[in-house]
């Protein structure tokens, strides 16, 4: 289960970084939502790192991310992020069902539902972006 938690932490931190990049390049109507999504991914990573500490007694040391995040076109980028969020939600819920630890199961289920809400926010931005 530690490998699963570590993977989720790294994904959330990568998502945070991606949403921060999106916030810098997004149309004005979407910047606030992108910042909110970045903050939500950061909060999810912190919750997972706390779970990691509770299980192991050690602080998790995330990988150092580097490289530039490119966003070529707004709607295709949102489409890609929507699919990533929906898949991430499904992965959280699958992991919640697969663990025997009731506290970890609850945390993963909550994070899965949060990820579905982020997917909904991305879908709303995509709908608005396609109207413009």
């Amino acid at each position: 289960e530690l490998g699963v938690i570590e993977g989720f932490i790294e994904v959330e931190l990568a998502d945070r970084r991606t949403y921060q990049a999106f916030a810098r390049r997004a149309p004005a109507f979407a910047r606030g939502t992108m910042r909110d999504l970045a903050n939500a991914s950061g909060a999810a990573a912190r919750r997972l790192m706390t779970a990691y500490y509770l299980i192991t007694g050690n602080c998790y040391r995330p990988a150092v991310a580097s490289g530039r995040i490119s966003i070529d076109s707004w709607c295709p980028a949102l489409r890609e992020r929507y699919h990533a969020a929906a898949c991430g939600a499904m992965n959280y819920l699958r992991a919640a069902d697969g663990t025997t630890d009731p506290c970890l199961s609850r945390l993963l289920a909550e994070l899965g539902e949060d990820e579905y809400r982020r997917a909904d926010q991305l879908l709303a931005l995509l709908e608005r972006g396609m109207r413009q």
Side-chain angles (χ1 to χ4, degrees):
E1 292 182 346
L2 287 179
V4 171
I5 294 170
E6 291 169 356
F8 283 136
I9 292 168
E10 294 299 332
V11 168
E12 290 293 355
L13 292 173
D15 285 351
R16 178 178 179 266
R17 191 168 167 262
T18 300
Y19 291 133
Q20 287 172 332
F22 272 48
R24 289 188 293 275
R25 296 177 184 93
F29 73 86
R31 289 184 190 133
T33 301
M34 286 295 146
R35 283 189 296 270
D36 291 345
L37 292 170
N39 291 337
S41 290
R46 285 188 300 279
R47 290 184 74 192
L48 288 161
M49 285 189 270
T50 301
Y52 183 92
Y53 181 81
L54 287 170
I55 293 167
T56 67
N58 296 311
C59 292
Y60 180 75
R61 302 283 181 228
V64 177
S66 64
R68 188 177 164 104
I69 297 170
S70 65
I71 303 165
D72 295 327
S73 183
W74 180 244
C75 288
L78 282 177
R79 179 179 180 265
E80 181 181 316
R81 292 307 315 158
Y82 169 82
H83 287 296
C87 287
M90 181 185 66
N91 289 335
Y92 273 126
L93 296 177
R94 186 180 299 143
D97 286 341
T99 184
T100 58
D101 181 326
C103 295
L104 183 57
S105 178
R106 180 175 168 212
L107 171 63
L108 295 172
E110 287 174 9
L111 292 173
E113 293 304 321
D114 291 346
E115 194 72 18
Y116 274 128
R117 280 189 283 282
R118 288 196 286 279
D120 289 342
Q121 288 177 286
L122 290 162
L123 182 61
L125 288 177
L126 180 57
E127 289 171 355
R128 184 164 178 192
M130 291 180 72
R131 287 192 304 245
Q132 294 187 348

